[in-house]
Amino acid sequence: MTLLFCSNIDNAGLWRDALGRRLPGLSMRVWPDIGGPDGDPDDIDMALVWQPPQGVFAGLSNLRLVMSLGAGVETLLRDPTLPDVPLVRMVSDSLSDDMAGFVALQVLRWHRHSDAFDAAQKAGVWQWLPYRPAREVSVGLLGLGELGSAAARVLTALGYRVLGWSRSPKQLPGVEGFAGADGLAAMLPRCDLLVCLLPLTADTQGILDRDLFARLPAGAVVINAGRGGHLVEADLLDALDRGHLAGASLDVFSEEPLPPAHPFWRHPRVRVSPHSAAATHPSQAVEQVVATVTAFREGRPLANVIDRRRGY
Ligand code: NAP
Ligand code: GLV
């Protein structure tokens, strides 16, 4: 069995070591070297990839399994060369923990005036600012899957009121659940902060737009850690500049890296992070890949397979 590894951010050497220790006999090739020193592309039956270039699967006629190093797979689903084989995404406790931490960090940053205190310290000013108790602040989560439910657990532990929106109705401890278009309409006016943790699909593309922002209360904050394609950037800038939204934390962008001249970099009420909310660490994620490869080898059902009809 031969695995093709392709990622422009993940460390192939660390993955080779981690997989080699647990799956002796596994041969790994690192794209673009699909032939390897002593093999041919037909040996490759599995791929482990993060946002590979379009067309990466062309010529891999024996590919039987594609595993994503990330939780979101929209770029893979757009690739016309993706074969009709199981596509397994990354689900790990570590990824969920990291995302929950990122969401908590951003919620606290806006709610507890973190930027204002940083500015006051730079100016040498002792500036007390009033803030509402967490239990009077409502945080809305778009998406209550692996990451949204982990964020909900941390936010409820911090005392926030948590509201959550999903495609199918969900009941999570401490979370007021909403589903469908009516549910979204009911939830938005109650959100002091809104966090997007949706997968990018035909239904969710551009969901963070002028219409949605208008349904949030004045002074709301938007946090996007889903995908850049969820956000209509011009609509966000307009809502911020009119003063309807108080701020935004953005981790993902329609173009990454965010171009140097992009207005988000210098906007006083936009906080930018470089798609770093939750990363896949080999030490934490290798067990999921090993479990998938082992199940695949033994012909057992695979976990975390993407439903291509739903798009996530
Ligand atoms: P997941 O477990 O598949 O959960 C997705 C959630 O979104 C589910 O609750 C689902 O509803 C809901 N949803 C999907 N389509 C919807 C729609 N049309 N209307 C309402 N709700 C909808 O995904 P996840 O593991 O939580 O990951 C979510 C996304 O986070 C990924 O796809 C990726 O894009 C992004 N991500 C970002 C980073 C980062 O560093 N910024 C890191 C990892 C992942 P149901 O529960 O009803 O199915
Ligand atoms: C990161 O963005 C992921 O999808 O895991």
Side-chain angles (χ1 to χ4, degrees):
M1 291 205 171
T2 301
L3 176 134
L4 175 68
F5 183 91
C6 179
S7 168
N8 61 0
I9 57 169
D10 299 278
N11 185 315
L14 289 180
W15 274 99
R16 189 189 293 281
D17 290 349
L19 289 172
R21 275 195 298 277
R22 289 166 180 80
L23 295 169
L26 180 85
S27 158
M28 179 167 138
R29 304 213 184 124
V30 180
W31 193 86
D33 189 9
I34 60 171
D38 50 10
D40 84 62
D42 283 351
D43 298 338
I44 295 171
D45 55 358
M46 295 177 277
L48 180 62
V49 299
W50 166 248
Q51 299 196 331
Q54 296 279 295
V56 70
F57 305 109
L60 302 179
S61 51
N62 285 328
L63 201 55
R64 297 286 175 267
L65 171 67
V66 177
M67 293 170 284
S68 170
L69 284 156
V73 294
E74 71 292 339
T75 53
L76 286 167
L77 292 175
R78 276 201 296 265
D79 188 332
T81 67
L82 178 71
D84 187 14
V85 301
L87 171 60
V88 173
R89 75 189 189 98
M90 182 53 63
V91 172
S92 84
D93 289 346
S94 169
L95 198 68
S96 299
D97 291 347
D98 286 0
M99 182 58 84
F102 175 84
V103 170
L105 179 69
Q106 300 309 320
V107 166
L108 287 164
R109 152 184 227 158
W110 291 102
H111 169 217
R112 299 296 299 272
H113 307 307
S114 176
D115 291 341
F117 290 144
D118 284 352
Q121 180 177 353
K122 280 198 187 91
V125 175
W126 179 273
Q127 182 190 31
W128 198 88
L129 291 171
Y131 63 92
R132 284 189 289 159
R135 55 190 60 202
E136 294 175 16
V137 174
S138 295
V139 184
L141 296 168
L142 300 178
L144 283 178
E146 296 292 335
L147 304 182
S149 55
R153 284 193 290 278
V154 170
L155 292 171
T156 52
L158 289 170
Y160 290 100
R161 287 183 189 151
V162 180
L163 294 72
W165 185 63
S166 49
R167 214 165 62 111
S168 51
K170 291 264 165 336
Q171 287 192 327
L172 299 174
V175 179
E176 191 177 348
F178 298 83
D182 290 348
L184 185 62
M187 184 178 96
L188 289 174
R190 295 178 47 200
C191 298
D192 298 305
L193 300 100
L194 184 74
V195 183
C196 179
L197 289 174
L198 291 165
L200 186 60
T201 66
D203 290 336
T204 65
Q205 173 90 31
I207 189 171
L208 300 176
D209 66 357
R210 180 181 305 268
D211 173 57
L212 179 143
F213 299 145
R215 293 191 277 161
L216 291 170
V221 166
V222 169
I223 298 166
N224 186 19
R227 285 289 186 261
H230 288 127
L231 177 67
V232 180
E233 296 183 347
D235 290 1
L236 176 70
L237 288 168
D238 180 59
L240 289 167
D241 293 341
R242 282 187 296 104
H244 178 62
L245 293 181
S249 291
L250 306 176
D251 185 59
V252 285
F253 303 90
S254 51
E255 184 179 349
E256 295 181 4
L258 187 64
H262 198 289
F264 285 158
W265 281 118
R266 277 162 287 278
H267 197 289
R269 280 175 291 123
V270 174
R271 292 293 162 264
V272 167
S273 51
H275 199 145
S276 63
T280 295
H281 307 284
S283 58
Q284 296 296 318
V286 68
E287 292 310 338
Q288 194 217 303
V289 176
V290 169
T292 303
V293 170
T294 306
F296 170 69
R297 279 176 166 172
E298 294 172 359
R300 288 188 283 108
L302 305 177
N304 307 312
V305 175
I306 294 297
D307 176 341
R308 296 200 191 190
R309 197 179 34 83
R310 287 190 323 184
Y312 67 99

